[in-house]
Amino acid sequence: MMWLFVLIALVVLLAVGWDLFRRLYPPFGGKPSPADLQRYRQSPNYKGTKFEYPLVTKVYKPSLGSFFTMLREYVQRRPELKPKRPLPQVKLDREAMEEIEEDTVIWFGHSALLLQIGGTRLLLDPMFGQTSSPIAGGRRFNRELPFGHLDELPPVDAVVLSHDHYDHLDYGTIRRIQDRVGQFIGPLGIRCHLERWGVEPARIREYDWWEELELHGVKLACTPARHYSGRGLFSQNGGLWCSWVITTPEKRVYFSGDSGYGPHFKEIGDKYGPFDLALMECGQYDDRWWDIHMLPEQTVRAHLDVKGNVLLPIHWGTFALAMHSWYDPIRRLSLEARLRGVSLATPKIGEPVRIGGSEYPTEVWWPAVSAARKDPKFRGARPSGTME
């Protein structure tokens, strides 16, 4: 019986140690206050003790079988997970970004974007850290940012967040830029992290799906996404996740955040579309987690569902968080967009894109970075129930 006692003691010590480490290590974020939890319980999306998407949504859970399957695929396909050389970037500085007057978006890689719309400057999911998470995170493809360092970022009216995952809500970034941010806007569950990191409560605004707000004449609507939240193994879905509709009387922009394909895209399109520009997730997909990240072909379909005009793909080109080649998202998306007659914008990182203009960047720049194979073998994903 002694071995059982020792085993139990070790488990208890590990659990206590992990909880203590999590409490003392700020990047893990905070926990909702009793007042926050009271509000969350009033949300129609809160079921029991967590938030849920209306359809059954499975998050990948590691298993011995799936590990060996993934290892076999890697050996067979040998995907080029990272580019062989830095991706091309358009160099920027603070003055250049502050001088932008027209409605413009700049993609900084992954899902980080600077959006100038209606004279208001918004920063979407600003993740500028060197690794995708504080523990065992993959390194950024390009070590240098297009604007050099964070001090070059101009003041912004608001940081707009889609959810609390490390590759979208970065502790180091928030700490460095928070004094140049007017407000922090996000879904329910964001507040506790930001407050722990020193952001004043008065500057934090949380919203449920379909709730709307106005900021300096720009209207924002917190809209659904099919994903999940949490910054730890045992704290999933304690906060909400979302997409955003951002509009002025002249322009309409949709920001998908992270999302698997689902009927919410058509609901958003029917309620708020059409959109001049759709910033759509494309990347970090796999048939083991297709509920929470779209395949490129689904991204095009979702773009059509929301009634987008021009599609600008995000959530790729910065971190390797899946087993596909780094260029596979844009390669497959380009093919599908051409087949479906969708206008596709393919800016380099840091390249300003004018919203509603007659011309968008369409250069096919990724083959020059790596010697992409003509037809890299990709094991097809199981068909999603929402695609039937």
Side-chain angles (χ1 to χ4, degrees):
M1 294 294 292
M2 179 61 70
W3 66 269
L4 182 59
F5 174 78
V6 172
L7 180 62
I8 293 173
L10 284 174
V11 171
V12 171
L13 284 173
L14 286 172
V16 171
W18 173 255
D19 184 63
L20 182 62
F21 177 56
R22 188 179 183 280
R23 290 172 182 270
L24 296 177
Y25 192 51
F28 283 128
K31 289 186 177 181
S33 67
D36 288 334
L37 288 173
Q38 182 62 32
R39 187 190 174 189
Y40 301 166
R41 294 188 188 104
Q42 297 172 6
S43 168
N45 306 301
Y46 198 80
K47 312 293 182 183
T49 59
K50 62 183 180 180
F51 288 95
E52 292 182 359
Y53 183 79
L55 299 181
V56 174
T57 300
K58 296 180 180 179
V59 177
Y60 170 73
K61 296 180 180 179
S63 68
L64 189 62
S66 62
F67 172 78
F68 283 115
T69 300
M70 184 175 291
L71 182 62
R72 185 185 70 242
E73 286 183 19
Y74 179 77
V75 171
Q76 290 176 345
R77 291 172 38 229
R78 297 196 64 80
E80 190 179 334
L81 298 181
K82 298 181 180 180
K84 296 177 179 178
R85 58 186 66 89
L87 304 187
Q89 296 189 137
V90 174
K91 295 298 182 181
L92 297 166
D93 57 26
R94 184 167 181 163
E95 183 179 0
M97 289 183 278
E98 287 182 332
E99 288 179 350
I100 295 174
E101 295 182 354
E102 296 180 316
D103 294 335
T104 301
V105 67
I106 302 175
W107 176 55
F108 293 131
H110 206 57
S111 297
L113 303 120
L114 182 68
L115 176 62
Q116 175 93 12
I117 184 168
T120 299
R121 190 180 296 134
L122 306 175
L123 196 54
L124 312 182
D125 280 4
M127 200 300 178
F128 298 122
Q130 285 297 314
T131 58
S132 57
S133 70
I135 298 179
R139 291 195 68 84
R140 179 180 290 271
F141 295 166
N142 286 13
R143 302 295 172 85
E144 291 188 5
L145 298 168
F147 45 82
H149 52 83
L150 287 178
D151 292 337
E152 284 293 302
L153 270 179
V156 297
D157 295 289
V159 162
V160 179
L161 300 161
S162 65
H163 63 302
D164 69 358
H165 283 164
Y166 293 107
D167 59 322
H168 294 259
L169 177 62
D170 179 56
Y171 167 74
T173 300
I174 298 299
R175 290 285 293 173
R176 287 282 300 278
I177 69 172
Q178 61 179 285
D179 292 338
R180 283 169 284 150
V181 177
Q183 296 185 35
F184 290 83
I185 299 170
L188 300 175
I190 290 291
R191 176 184 301 278
C192 60
H193 306 309
L194 297 174
E195 286 188 356
R196 184 180 183 187
W197 300 340
V199 180
E200 299 90 343
R203 291 198 291 147
I204 304 170
R205 301 167 71 176
E206 288 187 329
Y207 293 90
D208 203 348
W209 290 349
W210 305 116
E211 290 185 339
E212 301 176 351
L213 67 144
E214 187 168 330
L215 178 69
H216 307 319
V218 176
K219 293 184 177 180
L220 294 92
C222 180
T223 46
R226 190 178 190 183
H227 200 56
Y228 71 111
S229 70
R231 297 174 75 85
L233 293 175
F234 307 107
S235 59
Q236 290 189 0
N237 296 345
L240 194 57
W241 53 93
C242 71
S243 57
W244 287 96
V245 169
I246 305 169
T247 66
T248 67
E250 292 77 30
K251 301 292 191 315
R252 309 184 75 80
V253 174
Y254 175 68
F255 172 57
S256 73
D258 275 6
S259 181
Y261 184 79
H264 62 278
F265 288 116
K266 188 175 186 308
E267 294 173 8
I268 293 167
D270 290 343
K271 185 176 178 68
Y272 294 108
F275 294 96
D276 298 283
L277 181 68
L279 308 166
M280 301 292 289
E281 181 218 87
C282 178
Q284 322 316 323
Y285 45 79
D286 191 282
D287 60 359
R288 282 165 286 255
W289 53 80
W290 53 259
D291 272 359
I292 57 170
H293 286 300
M294 291 184 284
L295 303 176
E297 295 77 14
Q298 292 175 310
T299 297
V300 174
R301 179 168 178 177
H303 171 79
L304 294 171
D305 285 352
V306 299
K307 302 177 183 177
N309 180 21
V310 175
L311 166 59
L312 195 159
I314 60 174
H315 208 244
W316 74 285
T318 304
F319 299 108
L321 305 178
M323 293 297 292
H324 56 68
S325 300
W326 75 267
Y327 53 79
D328 202 54
I330 191 64
R331 181 187 68 84
R332 291 175 59 178
L333 184 76
S334 298
L335 176 60
E336 185 68 13
R338 187 161 58 248
L339 292 174
R340 302 291 291 270
V342 168
S343 298
L344 183 64
T346 57
K348 300 182 183 72
I349 293 174
E351 182 175 4
V353 178
R354 184 165 169 252
I355 302 169
S358 58
E359 295 183 359
Y360 287 83
T362 58
E363 179 184 351
V364 182
W365 52 264
W366 46 95
V369 179
S370 299
R373 290 177 242 172
K374 274 190 175 181
D375 186 23
K377 293 183 179 179
F378 179 83
R379 186 168 65 88
R382 293 186 296 270
S384 165
T386 58
M387 295 291 285
E388 293 175 355

